[in-house]
Amino acid sequence: RSVYDDQPNAHQKFMEKLDACIRNHDREIEKMCNFHHQGFVDAITELLKVRADAEKLKVQVTDTNRRLQDAGKEVIAQTEEIIRCRVQQRNITTVVEKLQLCLPVLEMYSKLKEQMSVKRYYSALKTMEQLENLYLPRVSQYRFCQIMIENLPKLREEIKEISMSDLKDFLESIRKHSDRIGETAMKQAQQQKTFSTALQKQNNVNYGRNMHLGRNRILESKNEITLKRTFEDEDEHEEEVLTAQDLVDFSPVYRCLHIYSVLGDGEIFENYYRKQRRKQARLVLQPQSSMHETVEGYRRYFSQIVGFFVVEDHILHVTQGLVTRTYTDELWNMALSKIIAVLRTHSSYCSDPDLVLELKNLIVVFADTLQGYGFPVNRLFDLLFEIRDQYNETLLKKWSGLFRDIFEADNYSPIPVANEEEYRIVISKFPFQDPELDKQSFPKKLPMSQSVPQIYMQVKEFIYASLKFSESLHRSSTEIDDMLRKSTNLLLTRTLSSCLQNLIKKPHIGLTELVQIIINTTHLEQACKYLEDFISNITNISQLTVHTARLYGLSTFKDARHAAEGEIYTKLNQKIDEFIQIADYDWTMTESDGRASGYLMDLINFLRSTFQVFTHLPGKVAQTACMSACQHLSMSLMQMLLDSELKQISMGAIQQFNLDVIQCELFASSEPVPGFQGDTLQLAFIDLRQLLDLFMVWDWSTYLADYGQATSKYLRVNPSTALTLLEKMKDSSKKNNIFAQFRKNDRDKQKLIETVVKQLRSLVNGMSQHT
């Protein structure tokens, strides 16, 4: 670079210097060649000498080579054979290596085909995964591998379809056999509960052994033997016992779940499974229309539901994620609402208490079974309280029929007992105590009729029947005691009371029967305390407890007695009306017969005999009945006089009527029922007596002068009543005395009547204006 860049003539100078250098080197080369020239000549000379020897050597070498070639042909042939063998050996080695790579692939593929043929689909999927990830990449250059790769997706789809088909068959199978699964689960739950109860009893016996060792030794031994046999039987049949889950082959679900999980479609499978099971749940929860007619209908319905949820619970605990607790809780809440609605509807058709009781037992077993699988069942036990009310209603209807039959079959006569044995039979059924009766000798009669012990026994049977429903409801003794008392109160205050009221109103029930009914209700009322003791003994709840309800039998029987008493009064009055209706007065007679009317004497004799029957009644009842009868008789006689259809009354009719009233007063004064003070009973006829006295003595001046005063002799005579009767006598006097105008006395009497009538009318008008 310096040659070209330093100076403009530098290149030329350089070239000049280079030429000078070359010339120097040439001179040195020339000197050197001159120095070695002799040696070169000597070497050529030596070479010429060696030529002849070289020719000889060439001939020898050629001959040696020919002979060597001839001798090596066989060696060459052997060598080529060795080379060919070596190539073949290398190729074989290469083939073996390649086959060693391909054979596992082919073996795995063969294994895949075998697994497909024996329906081991999950293993087949694992084999496919190994083929794709491990074996096929090693030999992917071969055509058969491409065929395998193309077939694997098809095999996966085939496995999915087959597994889904198996799942559908599984779902169809458990839908058909869910009732059997549920029945087994319920049976096992019931057996477990029975065993727990027996074990609890055994523990209670062991606990009480120290307290009652002597008395309970035999009982404990029996319980120990029973439990020992129970354990031995369970050990003996332990291998034969199958749980509800053992009845189902869940392998299709597992396979399908694993297959879809391996294929990455686990969520699709879960959604499909849950959707199908929801559909099946709706079908299971749909009841048959005639389910309420038999217990088997309810049992099959419950078994199907239990079978459904047993399967779901097993799936929940065995599989991971196929169903979740949230899903099962949601499904159970939906099912529980439907079950409760169905039971409310169908149980309302049940009129047989035995069927309702069996339904209750089924619901309890159903609830206990599902509770054992972790499902909340409080709403079912709440429903049982509703069904308990219905059960009580069916019991009330049944006992209403029983009470009616007892009342129909009763003879309403005191129970005769001929000897001590018959007496003890009666008091064993009914708690009757009467020291005075005990002192009497046999034969004797108990005051109540045959229906009383029968009613008492039926009430106890009702309590037992009501108690059956309260069992297994997981309620305390206090609650059970309260239930029994409430249901018994309903029996007494509604059913028995209604039957008694209907009985009392029946036409064929006479006065004698009504008297016996009053006596019967009195004894039944006294027996209510024994019923309370009976309930307390059953429930072990003392009556001294604050919240213990009382039986309302006292008010029930009091109301029945009051109704019977009222019916007695009514029937007495009806009987009096019947006698009054046959009265046949000649209202125009001139003189009386001198004796009381026959119908009235018959009526009084009837009342006497009737009131003799009332001796067994409480005093006030008999007195009230007697007073009511007398008052009604007095009123009826008064109405007979004032009847609007009666247009005229003669003085002779008044006299005859007075004789009849006198007989009524004599009957009242004869004290037909003891206990009246003074002339209390005679006061029932005071209105009639004062009215008749006024007409008999014709004391109008005194009546008109003293009217309105408290000391009036005719205080009970109403002016309108006197006016009505007087007008009837006035009309009679006019018609019967055609020639009265020719007799001065009759004319004076007629004028007097007219004068009194005017004064009475003015009194009546004054009273109406004042009112």
Side-chain angles (χ1 to χ4, degrees):
R1 180 173 299 175
S2 63
V3 173
Y4 288 95
D5 297 338
D6 289 346
Q7 295 178 1
N9 297 324
H11 181 269
Q12 184 177 0
K13 290 179 180 181
F14 173 74
M15 293 302 294
E16 291 176 356
K17 288 182 180 180
L18 183 60
D19 289 340
C21 185
I22 291 172
R23 286 191 299 272
N24 289 333
H25 281 293
D26 287 342
R27 283 195 297 272
E28 288 179 1
I29 292 172
E30 186 177 357
K31 287 178 182 180
M32 186 175 291
C33 288
N34 290 331
F35 177 74
H36 292 288
H37 178 69
Q38 186 61 43
F40 177 71
V41 173
D42 293 338
I44 292 300
T45 302
E46 288 293 331
L47 284 174
L48 290 175
K49 290 179 181 179
V50 173
R51 175 184 295 177
D53 295 332
E55 287 294 333
K56 290 180 183 179
L57 182 59
K58 180 180 179 181
V59 173
Q60 290 177 356
V61 170
T62 301
D63 184 56
T64 302
N65 181 58
R66 179 181 57 76
R67 287 187 286 109
L68 184 60
Q69 291 294 332
D70 293 339
K73 286 182 180 179
E74 186 176 354
V75 176
I76 292 172
Q78 293 293 330
T79 302
E80 290 179 353
E81 183 66 22
I82 291 173
I83 292 172
R84 186 177 63 79
C85 289
R86 292 288 175 83
V87 171
Q88 288 180 349
Q89 187 177 11
R90 187 173 62 250
N91 291 340
I92 290 172
T93 302
T94 303
V95 170
V96 169
E97 292 176 356
K98 298 299 182 183
L99 286 176
Q100 287 176 345
L101 288 175
C102 293
L103 280 176
V105 177
L106 296 174
E107 288 175 355
M108 292 296 289
Y109 196 78
S110 176
K111 180 180 178 182
L112 173 62
K113 287 293 186 179
E114 183 180 355
Q115 290 170 343
M116 290 290 293
S117 63
V118 296
K119 299 182 179 181
R120 295 173 57 194
Y121 301 115
Y122 180 70
S123 301
L125 287 175
K126 290 296 184 181
T127 303
M128 289 184 197
E129 186 177 355
Q130 291 180 351
L131 278 172
E132 287 181 332
N133 297 332
L134 183 61
Y135 292 98
L136 287 177
R138 299 176 183 176
V139 291
S140 58
Q141 66 274 21
Y142 301 112
R143 284 185 300 169
F144 74 90
C145 292
Q146 296 299 323
I147 296 174
M148 291 180 183
I149 293 173
E150 293 174 358
N151 285 338
L152 290 181
K154 297 178 182 178
L155 291 175
R156 282 196 176 91
E157 290 299 323
E158 181 181 352
I159 290 174
K160 286 178 65 175
E161 292 176 0
I162 294 173
S163 61
M164 184 57 71
S165 176
D166 291 344
L167 177 66
K168 291 178 180 179
D169 294 340
F170 167 79
L171 294 175
E172 181 67 20
S173 175
I174 59 173
R175 188 185 71 83
K176 291 180 180 179
H177 299 95
S178 59
D179 56 342
R180 183 186 171 196
I181 300 169
E183 185 178 355
T184 303
M186 291 171 67
K187 196 174 296 182
Q188 290 172 350
Q190 198 169 7
Q191 291 174 351
Q192 180 65 28
K193 184 177 180 180
T194 303
F195 175 75
S196 300
T197 304
L199 190 60
Q200 184 178 4
K201 289 181 179 179
Q202 171 68 8
N203 292 334
N204 292 338
V205 170
N206 290 334
Y207 175 76
R209 180 180 299 170
N210 296 328
M211 299 175 61
H212 310 283
L213 183 60
R215 185 180 63 182
N216 293 337
R217 187 179 301 276
I218 298 177
L219 179 61
E220 292 170 6
S221 302
K222 290 183 178 179
N223 287 333
E224 289 175 357
I225 294 173
T226 302
L227 284 177
K228 184 177 180 181
R229 289 178 179 174
T230 302
F231 284 121
E232 289 176 353
D233 293 341
E234 288 187 353
D235 293 338
E236 182 179 351
H237 300 289
E238 184 176 2
E239 296 179 357
E240 300 177 3
V241 175
L242 294 177
T243 63
Q245 295 89 340
D246 294 335
L247 300 175
V248 183
D249 180 14
F250 290 95
S251 57
V253 181
Y254 305 150
R255 285 198 302 267
C256 203
L257 175 62
H258 292 162
I259 288 169
Y260 273 79
S261 299
V262 169
L263 296 177
D265 294 334
E267 186 175 354
I268 295 175
F269 173 74
E270 292 172 7
N271 293 334
Y272 175 81
Y273 177 83
R274 295 179 185 181
K275 181 179 179 181
Q276 294 301 316
R277 289 297 280 167
R278 282 194 180 95
K279 289 182 179 179
Q280 290 188 348
R282 294 188 184 96
L283 292 176
V284 166
L285 295 171
Q286 191 67 31
Q288 296 180 356
S289 58
S290 60
M291 184 181 72
H292 63 277
E293 296 178 356
T294 60
V295 181
E296 289 303 321
Y298 287 107
R299 182 177 286 111
R300 180 175 176 81
Y301 180 68
F302 288 136
S303 298
Q304 289 178 342
I305 296 173
V306 171
F308 178 89
F309 283 99
V310 165
V311 171
E312 290 305 291
D313 180 75
H314 184 76
I315 294 294
L316 172 66
H317 289 89
V318 174
T319 62
Q320 295 181 353
L322 180 55
V323 295
T324 61
R325 175 57 67 182
T326 303
Y327 161 79
T328 54
D329 290 344
E330 178 185 352
L331 201 60
W332 170 243
N333 289 331
M334 181 272 292
L336 193 57
S337 300
K338 179 67 175 177
I339 293 167
I340 291 174
V342 167
L343 291 178
R344 278 176 178 162
T345 302
H346 285 265
S347 62
S348 62
Y349 296 118
C350 295
S351 58
D352 183 7
D354 294 334
L355 180 59
V356 179
L357 183 61
E358 292 184 0
L359 172 60
K360 167 257 175 183
N361 293 332
L362 282 175
I363 293 176
V364 170
V365 175
F366 173 74
D368 289 343
T369 303
L370 288 173
Q371 190 174 32
Y373 285 93
F375 295 99
V377 294
N378 292 334
R379 291 174 63 188
L380 285 174
F381 284 102
D382 293 338
L383 174 65
L384 283 173
F385 282 92
E386 299 179 19
I387 297 179
R388 181 201 64 189
D389 296 336
Q390 180 187 347
Y391 174 71
N392 286 336
E393 288 297 325
T394 58
L395 285 180
L396 293 175
K397 290 180 181 179
K398 179 179 179 180
W399 258 258
S400 177
L402 293 174
F403 289 154
R404 286 197 300 269
D405 294 340
I406 290 173
F407 289 140
E408 288 293 334
D410 195 7
N411 57 5
Y412 296 100
S413 299
I415 302 175
V417 286
N419 49 48
E420 182 72 22
E421 183 180 357
E422 292 182 3
Y423 179 73
R424 293 191 177 277
I425 291 175
V426 175
I427 64 174
S428 66
K429 297 178 180 178
F430 182 77
F432 175 75
Q433 294 178 355
D434 189 349
E436 295 296 329
L437 186 64
D438 291 341
K439 295 177 182 178
Q440 298 179 11
S441 60
F442 292 98
K444 53 188 175 181
K445 291 183 178 181
L446 303 181
M448 80 287 290
S449 66
Q450 192 63 45
S451 63
V452 172
Q454 293 177 353
I455 291 293
Y456 183 79
M457 292 300 295
Q458 285 301 326
V459 173
K460 292 175 69 175
E461 288 298 325
F462 176 87
I463 295 172
Y464 278 127
S466 182
L467 178 64
K468 288 181 181 179
F469 196 94
S470 301
E471 294 174 347
S472 305
L473 290 185
H474 308 300
R475 296 294 172 177
S476 64
S477 298
T478 304
E479 291 175 307
I480 294 176
D481 182 87
D482 187 58
M483 293 177 194
L484 291 179
R485 292 178 185 273
K486 287 181 178 179
S487 59
T488 306
N489 277 330
L490 282 177
L491 178 73
L492 296 176
T493 59
R494 195 172 77 182
T495 304
L496 183 56
S497 176
S498 176
C499 291
L500 284 171
Q501 297 291 341
N502 293 333
L503 174 68
I504 291 168
K505 297 295 182 182
K506 287 187 175 181
H508 70 276
I509 298 297
L511 293 172
T512 305
E513 288 81 3
L514 289 172
V515 171
Q516 187 62 55
I517 289 173
I518 293 176
I519 297 172
N520 289 349
T521 54
T522 303
H523 288 284
L524 286 173
E525 178 182 342
Q526 296 171 355
C528 283
K529 62 179 181 179
Y530 296 100
L531 290 175
E532 290 185 345
D533 295 339
F534 177 70
I535 295 175
S536 298
N537 292 333
I538 291 177
T539 58
N540 293 325
I541 298 298
S542 173
Q543 296 186 38
L544 301 178
T545 305
V546 177
H547 301 290
T548 301
R550 294 289 181 257
L551 296 183
Y552 301 144
L554 300 178
S555 61
T556 297
F557 298 121
K558 284 181 180 178
D559 294 342
R561 273 201 307 278
H562 291 159
E565 293 168 6
E567 194 64 21
I568 287 177
Y569 308 150
T570 302
K571 287 187 180 296
L572 271 176
N573 294 341
Q574 290 175 352
K575 201 68 178 177
I576 292 172
D577 292 339
E578 291 177 4
F579 281 100
I580 295 294
Q581 287 175 2
I582 63 176
D584 187 16
Y585 284 102
D586 182 5
W587 299 107
T588 59
M589 64 174 57
T590 56
E591 293 183 0
S592 66
D593 294 338
R595 62 180 183 275
S597 302
Y599 85 93
L600 187 66
M601 297 307 297
D602 293 339
L603 172 58
I604 291 175
N605 292 331
F606 164 76
L607 292 177
R608 289 185 188 278
S609 62
T610 299
F611 291 140
Q612 287 177 359
V613 179
F614 287 6
T615 55
H616 298 293
L617 287 176
K620 291 184 179 180
V621 177
Q623 293 170 13
T624 305
C626 186
M627 177 60 75
S628 173
C630 291
Q631 289 176 344
H632 184 75
L633 176 58
S634 175
M635 188 183 303
S636 298
L637 293 173
M638 180 70 76
Q639 289 176 352
M640 188 184 301
L641 285 176
L642 303 177
D643 189 1
S644 59
E645 295 182 358
L646 179 60
K647 302 300 181 182
Q648 55 186 1
I649 301 177
S650 65
M651 194 62 195
I654 292 292
Q655 294 172 353
Q656 180 64 41
F657 201 81
N658 183 57
L659 292 175
D660 293 342
V661 174
I662 291 174
Q663 289 298 323
C664 293
E665 291 173 332
L666 290 174
F667 169 74
S669 63
S670 66
E671 198 174 6
V673 173
F676 286 107
Q677 295 181 356
D679 57 352
T680 303
L681 192 59
Q682 296 177 9
L683 293 176
F685 301 97
I686 189 65
D687 292 350
L688 268 175
R689 171 49 48 211
Q690 291 185 7
L691 179 64
L692 292 174
D693 286 348
L694 177 61
F695 277 86
M696 292 292 293
V697 299
W698 208 254
D699 194 8
W700 291 105
S701 59
T702 303
Y703 174 74
L704 293 172
D706 296 344
Y707 177 75
Q709 298 180 12
T711 58
S712 174
K713 180 180 179 181
Y714 304 103
L715 181 64
R716 307 286 296 185
V717 179
N718 191 294
S720 61
T721 303
L723 176 61
T724 301
L725 187 57
L726 190 59
E727 286 180 338
K728 295 177 186 291
M729 293 187 67
K730 174 184 174 183
D731 294 339
S732 175
S733 178
K734 286 182 179 180
K735 293 180 180 180
N736 294 333
N737 297 303
I738 300 175
F739 302 101
Q741 55 183 340
F742 302 107
R743 294 194 295 268
K744 186 178 183 301
N745 292 335
D746 293 335
R747 287 199 308 269
D748 294 340
K749 184 176 181 180
Q750 189 68 29
K751 288 179 180 180
L752 178 61
I753 292 175
E754 290 176 356
T755 302
V756 173
V757 167
K758 290 179 181 179
Q759 292 178 353
L760 289 175
R761 282 177 179 171
S762 64
L763 284 176
V764 172
N765 292 333
M767 291 173 59
S768 62
Q769 290 176 1
H770 177 72
T771 303

